Amino acid sequence: MVFDYHIHSQYSGDIPAGKGSTVNELCEAAIQKGFREIAITDHCDIDGVYYGAFPKLDIAGVYRDIVKARAQYAGRLNILFGIEIGQAWHMPKEAKFLIDRFEFDYVIGSVHSVRGILDFADLKMREMSDGELLALWEKYIGEMKELLDWGYFSTLAHITYPYRYLKFAGRESLIDLEKKGRAYFEDILKKAIEKGVSLEVNTSGLRQGLGQTLPNTDLIKFYKELGGEMITIGSDAHHARNLGADIRETAELLKSLGFQYITRYQDRKPYMQKID
Ligand SMILES: [Zn+2]
Ligand SMILES: [Zn+2]
């Protein structure tokens, strides 16, 4: 059994009107692709919402659609009500209030930007100096530790997120993830294990030209060596067509690395599912 634990519906603030998929379209795609469980995890970059950079996520709307879909697909598909919260540590009180207010099964914690700077996806990295980019990377690592210290979430998403944009800008050698990845992420992986926060393996990099999952295979191995066992897998699909992409292959990879279980959630509590 495989599961997709990172999916965005049309409600997600980062999807232009008319471009996304409805909850029902996501469910149909999931069933057609042989999935028995999915988590719908729309974007809420909490600082962006408060400062007006993003439209407010209609969480009640997503929830209403999920409740309807749960009845419609009962016995065929388990649908988790999730959310992806970006920059929670910038506004920890507001983030906690929001998480407590709704009946989430699962909360993704993400770092899409650092204080006072745009989302890494929106930065003009080609025009930035090496020094600026390295400083930004250090800040990123530091703020991810702040997110873990806060810790009020289920899974830590796409930990190598800025690396994707460095690569697209041809600047990835600055970071040299292959050689220095373990040193950059050791404290983060240890903190996640200590906090009981699972590690997401995000498959979007495989279909977006990065050629690797986020994090890459070596960091997943390192997580295991450090004693990490809790892993979720998500496609980060922003449309039904990408739902489930590379999830089976990634589960196989995890198995070959010695992971016997995938982490699932219900009512924000983790439990382990054997990879078969
Ligand atoms: Zn994200
Ligand atoms: Zn996402």
Side-chain angles (χ1 to χ4, degrees):
M1 267 208 271
V2 282
F3 318 94
D4 190 339
Y5 262 53
H6 190 148
I7 301 168
H8 299 287
S9 81
Q10 60 176 3
Y11 286 100
S12 244
D14 60 330
I15 298 180
K19 294 278 184 198
S21 301
T22 63
V23 167
N24 268 37
E25 285 164 351
L26 294 172
C27 293
E28 291 290 341
I31 290 170
Q32 197 216 334
K33 295 176 189 193
F35 284 78
R36 295 296 305 275
E37 180 168 275
I38 57 170
I40 296 183
T41 56
D42 283 331
H43 260 277
C44 179
D45 274 9
I46 195 135
D47 52 351
V49 169
Y50 276 85
Y51 300 134
F54 290 107
K56 219 170 174 170
L57 172 62
D58 179 7
I59 301 175
V62 191
Y63 184 58
R64 203 173 44 236
D65 289 3
I66 288 177
V67 169
K68 269 193 228 154
R70 278 177 179 161
Q72 193 176 336
Y73 300 104
R76 291 192 288 157
L77 184 68
N78 198 23
I79 310 156
L80 301 193
F81 176 38
I83 188 164
E84 176 179 11
I85 299 195
Q87 292 78 258
W89 71 101
H90 291 184
M91 308 187 95
K93 261 192 229 147
E94 290 80 355
K96 183 173 184 302
F97 179 77
L98 185 134
I99 291 168
D100 288 339
R101 205 173 124 208
F102 294 92
E103 290 174 24
F104 293 114
D105 293 298
Y106 171 67
V107 177
I108 295 179
S110 294
V111 183
H112 296 126
S113 63
V114 292
R115 286 187 185 86
I117 314 268
L118 293 175
D119 191 310
F120 290 100
D122 300 321
L123 293 177
K124 293 192 167 63
M125 289 190 175
R126 282 176 201 281
E127 295 163 22
M128 292 168 74
S129 71
D130 289 0
E132 276 175 305
L133 288 172
L134 281 169
L136 204 57
W137 176 262
E138 293 297 337
K139 265 187 143 182
Y140 171 76
I141 298 287
E143 293 201 19
M144 189 171 277
K145 288 179 194 163
E146 287 185 58
L147 170 64
L148 282 165
D149 284 335
W150 178 68
Y152 201 63
F153 61 104
S154 317
T155 201
L156 181 63
H158 48 55
I159 61 168
T160 51
Y161 182 75
Y163 185 75
R164 166 161 60 202
Y165 302 103
L166 284 165
K167 171 119 181 177
F168 292 167
R171 306 293 289 280
E172 75 278 16
S173 61
L174 267 182
I175 301 303
D176 198 0
L177 198 62
E178 301 306 321
K179 273 208 192 112
K180 299 188 202 152
R182 289 182 176 225
Y184 286 130
F185 287 101
E186 181 166 355
D187 291 348
I188 285 169
L189 295 173
K190 281 181 176 166
K191 237 184 228 291
I193 295 166
E194 181 192 306
K195 288 269 177 180
V197 166
S198 53
L199 178 72
E200 176 192 79
V201 177
N202 187 301
T203 66
S204 63
L206 295 172
R207 62 176 190 275
Q208 289 174 348
L210 188 62
Q212 55 182 239
T213 52
L214 297 86
N216 65 16
T217 307
D218 189 57
L219 285 170
I220 302 170
K221 267 191 210 163
F222 188 39
Y223 174 67
K224 178 124 193 24
E225 287 166 28
L226 293 171
E229 291 177 336
M230 294 171 69
I231 291 216
T232 60
I233 311 177
S235 66
D236 213 343
H238 284 63
H239 192 279
R241 76 175 85 90
N242 290 324
L243 186 145
D246 298 301
I247 299 274
R248 282 184 179 82
E249 294 77 357
T250 303
E252 281 303 316
L253 170 78
L254 291 177
K255 213 170 148 181
S256 75
L257 298 179
F259 289 92
Q260 291 186 45
Y261 298 91
I262 292 282
T263 305
R264 295 170 75 182
Y265 284 85
Q266 192 171 12
D267 298 328
R268 296 182 43 221
K269 290 189 186 66
Y271 62 103
M272 304 302 260
Q273 166 81 44
K274 201 155 177 79
I275 305 174
D276 47 25

